[in-house]
Amino acid sequence: MSVCGSATAAAIRARVVAAAAAERTIIHLDLDAFYAQVEMVRLGVPPDKPLAVLQWRRLIAVNYPSRAFGIKRHMTADEALRLCPDLILVHVATIATGDAEPKYHERPSQDTHKISLDAYRVASLRIMRVLARAFPLYQRASIDEVYIDASAAVAARILAAVDSAASPNAPCNTELAGSYPTTSSACADSTTAASAAALDLALPPLEMPRLDERGEPEVCWDGAGFV
């Protein structure tokens, strides 16, 4: 299918902007083996080394090298070590009687220690802050899951592709037509800077939303489609 046709690039831009205003692009991001990845970074463990995270005697997170040995979550430490004697086992941080803050105790006991997941909560917040730089609208679903509203970014990418195809020296872009059906009848016509600027003003704003009591953006998903 060719992008060439009677429609101008300005008309295609208008359709893209209208779609961006009416629909949302939501990304669900899930951090795999999150606790295990946090511990690998903390300890400087190479990515090819098997590592699992313990909470008392059972595994709660297993990295991909460990899974290659058949190790799974909820196994006991002894079961996992039988499958992979070189497995690196890391117990989550705990707070012992008299501790002022969580520590990685060598042999924590349920009788004298309490579980602390603060290290993973801190790592999660750091990741969310990095994501927020590019996607101000987001909603955390759990410690290792987040929904991102990428609508403005997606519209910008499509518009950039349309503008590229509209260059006077650009060949008719068939790949663009396959990727974005709204450009299937577009021709590589030039558009004025004034009309382009006017269309850009209609894009969803990239403003930082208000924060709730947890310090997270207040996001309303009403009418945003299926999440």
Side-chain angles (χ1 to χ4, degrees):
M1 182 182 296
S2 173
V3 242
C4 292
S6 59
T8 64
I12 298 305
R13 285 180 122 263
R15 292 171 63 182
V16 172
V17 171
E23 302 175 2
R24 314 305 296 173
T25 301
I26 308 299
I27 298 173
H28 174 231
L29 180 63
D30 187 350
L31 304 172
D32 286 344
F34 180 57
Y35 290 9
Q37 290 196 69
V38 171
E39 297 300 347
M40 291 173 71
V41 171
R42 181 180 70 87
L43 299 172
V45 175
D48 60 337
K49 297 295 183 182
L51 179 145
V53 178
L54 275 171
Q55 183 169 315
W56 307 129
R57 292 301 300 167
R58 294 194 177 272
L59 309 186
I60 60 171
V62 178
N63 69 0
Y64 281 96
S66 299
R67 298 177 192 183
F69 289 89
I71 298 173
K72 300 177 181 179
R73 291 176 58 200
H74 307 306
M75 280 186 172
T76 66
D78 292 337
E79 290 171 338
L81 286 171
R82 281 197 292 270
L83 293 173
C84 178
D86 295 327
L87 177 66
I88 300 172
L89 286 173
V90 182
H91 196 284
V92 299
T94 55
I95 302 176
T97 303
D99 283 347
E101 58 185 24
K103 298 178 182 178
Y104 284 90
H105 294 277
E106 187 174 351
R107 292 185 178 84
S109 168
Q110 288 180 270
D111 296 330
T112 55
H113 296 69
K114 291 185 177 180
I115 295 296
S116 171
L117 303 179
D118 287 357
Y120 312 122
R121 294 190 179 99
V122 170
S124 176
L125 286 173
R126 288 175 177 170
I127 293 171
M128 299 302 166
R129 287 173 181 172
V130 171
L131 290 173
R133 296 173 190 169
F135 305 101
L137 289 177
Y138 71 91
Q139 181 170 314
R140 190 170 58 175
S142 69
I143 196 170
D144 59 356
E145 292 180 273
V146 61
Y147 291 103
I148 297 169
D149 188 334
S151 305
V154 169
R157 289 288 296 273
I158 296 176
L159 290 176
V162 171
D163 289 343
S164 177
S167 172
N169 299 323
C172 195
N173 194 332
T174 56
E175 180 181 354
L176 182 62
S179 302
Y180 308 111
T182 57
T183 65
S184 59
S185 61
C187 183
D189 295 335
S190 61
T191 182
T192 64
S195 62
L199 288 170
D200 285 341
L201 292 177
L203 285 173
L206 286 175
E207 298 177 356
M208 284 299 293
R210 294 177 301 176
L211 302 182
D212 61 19
E213 65 277 1
R214 297 177 299 175
E216 297 182 0
E218 292 182 347
V219 181
C220 178
W221 299 102
D222 295 341
F226 295 101
V227 176

